[in-house]
Amino acid sequence: MTRAAVLSGLGGFVPPRVVTNDELARRLDTSDTWIRTRTGIAQRHVIAPGTTTSDLAAEAGRRALKSSGTDDVDLVVVATTTPDRICPATAPTVATRMGLVDVPAFDVAAVCSGFLYALHTAAAAVVAQLADSVLVIGAESFSTLLDPEDRTTSVIFGDGAGAVVLRAGESDEPGAVRDVRLGSDGSLADLITVRGGGAEHRSHGLSAGNGDPYFRMRGKEVFRSAVQRMSESSRSVLARTGWEVSDVDRLVAHQANTRIIQAVAEQLGLPPERALVNIDRVGNTSAASIPLALADGTVDGALRPGHRVLLTAFGGGATWGAATLVWPDLTAG
């Protein structure tokens, strides 16, 4: 049999503080009805002062390791747009906090597609025999990037982390990553961006505090691009896997908003009930959204062993991708 990366552990974590739509409506020109209608979100979780992305990532990672029944891995990959610092990467901090000594660790930055990019990187390392086990984490403290006066972004995003453990196995096993298709288009960089703080504005003689520090998004253009690219990459990965759309039992799309998820399902010809949705409870958690949805789906029974699962995402960059696997028999940590 062909060597493959097999999903063997799963964990999710969101910070305890819940921010409801009504709480946001008290300080923004919005309402619970407006937010629910446009996004499908009822609440989101937000970190407390002093909490960092590495805190969320380490907790999700611990839960994934517990789910897998192991306490060690050969590699740690963290997908995040909200690292603890611009320098150094967050992954080594996460590995150290988890007691993973001398383990290579690095970050992947692909915004809302970050988990799929990290999953592909980790699976490739396993297939190439560079590692026998990898911890893949998507973690975000997106609330730290939001303009508190911008209702178009402040109502959408939440904080959280999700993680999976991949182990070396065989391609016909449940949980084996069947295929991953990725893409990008840098000409769309301004659709989803944080302009301040990076080398671009510093090279023009601006200090770190003089650039726009907040997340900005051109919502209508993002909607169109997300639906198009997620649908295209999904069809591509299904063709390479040898599946028909009708073979897909569960669509686990990046939880951007319910309208995007529904539009992708419609474009693919999938019944809406096959799409997993947890954005109503956690908001858009960017790189953490897919593994958090997987964890929630496992806990509530929406994901069952043997389900043929299609993952897909679109994020800043612009980046996008899709992946396929047959769901294994495991318990989320």
Side-chain angles (χ1 to χ4, degrees):
M1 286 297 173
T2 305
R3 181 179 170 101
V6 179
L7 195 153
S8 63
L10 174 65
F13 177 72
V14 291
R17 187 190 170 205
V18 174
V19 176
T20 64
N21 291 346
D22 288 333
E23 181 177 339
L24 290 176
R26 287 195 289 271
R27 66 176 177 82
L28 293 169
D29 179 21
T30 189
S31 67
D32 175 66
T33 301
W34 189 91
I35 297 170
R36 286 177 186 262
T37 300
R38 286 159 179 78
T39 69
I41 300 169
Q43 64 177 43
R44 71 286 297 146
H45 293 254
V46 175
I47 58 170
T51 303
T52 65
T53 297
S54 62
D55 294 323
L56 305 179
E59 182 58 32
R62 292 185 192 101
R63 295 183 181 195
L65 289 180
K66 182 178 180 181
S67 167
S68 72
T70 186
D71 58 6
D72 196 17
V73 291
D74 300 323
L75 174 65
V76 176
V77 184
V78 174
T80 186
T81 315
T82 56
D84 288 1
R85 306 176 186 178
I86 292 178
C87 174
T90 298
T93 299
V94 174
T96 296
R97 289 188 180 182
M98 295 180 62
L100 301 172
V101 181
D102 294 334
V103 173
F106 58 87
D107 291 359
V108 169
V111 199
C112 299
S113 304
F115 177 76
L116 288 183
Y117 270 69
L119 183 73
H120 182 59
T121 302
V126 171
V127 171
Q129 301 186 46
L130 301 176
D132 288 326
S133 59
V134 185
L135 176 62
V136 181
I137 305 173
E140 302 285 13
S141 300
F142 230 83
S143 61
T144 62
L145 295 181
L146 301 178
D147 181 347
E149 304 303 319
D150 182 2
R151 74 170 182 171
T152 62
T153 57
S154 288
V155 303
I156 296 174
F157 292 90
D159 302 332
V164 300
V165 176
L166 299 179
R167 63 163 176 82
E170 298 181 348
S171 58
D172 62 346
E173 286 187 66
V177 178
R178 296 295 184 91
D179 200 5
V180 184
R181 297 286 94 190
L182 303 175
S184 73
D185 182 354
S187 71
L188 302 177
D190 286 340
L191 290 188
I192 299 170
T193 189
V194 179
R195 295 300 295 266
E200 182 181 60
H201 88 268
R202 290 175 188 243
S203 70
H204 289 87
L206 299 173
S207 68
N210 286 339
D212 183 353
Y214 295 124
F215 175 88
R216 305 298 181 188
M217 180 172 65
R218 296 186 344 216
K220 292 182 179 180
E221 294 171 74
V222 169
F223 187 101
R224 289 193 295 269
S225 294
V227 173
Q228 175 189 349
R229 294 303 191 177
M230 291 165 73
S231 300
E232 289 174 350
S233 60
S234 292
R235 292 190 189 97
S236 175
V237 81
L238 289 174
R240 285 183 58 90
T241 304
W243 291 356
E244 300 294 333
V245 170
S246 59
D247 293 328
V248 176
D249 297 303
R250 291 293 180 266
L251 168 67
V252 186
H254 163 54
Q255 304 289 298
N257 72 45
T258 53
R259 292 189 300 155
I260 288 178
I261 297 169
Q262 291 165 357
V264 171
E266 182 178 353
Q267 286 282 318
L268 294 175
L270 275 173
E273 61 271 16
R274 295 192 190 181
L276 260 63
V277 177
N278 73 340
I279 190 174
D280 55 318
R281 305 187 296 276
V282 299
N284 180 339
T285 56
S286 192
S289 78
I290 287 180
L292 276 175
L294 293 174
D296 284 350
T298 301
V299 170
D300 65 23
L303 266 178
R304 297 191 298 275
H307 271 164
R308 288 158 294 193
V309 180
L310 169 65
L311 313 177
T312 187
F314 177 88
T319 59
W320 57 84
T324 51
L325 72 157
V326 174
W327 197 247
D329 187 4
L330 54 74
T331 301

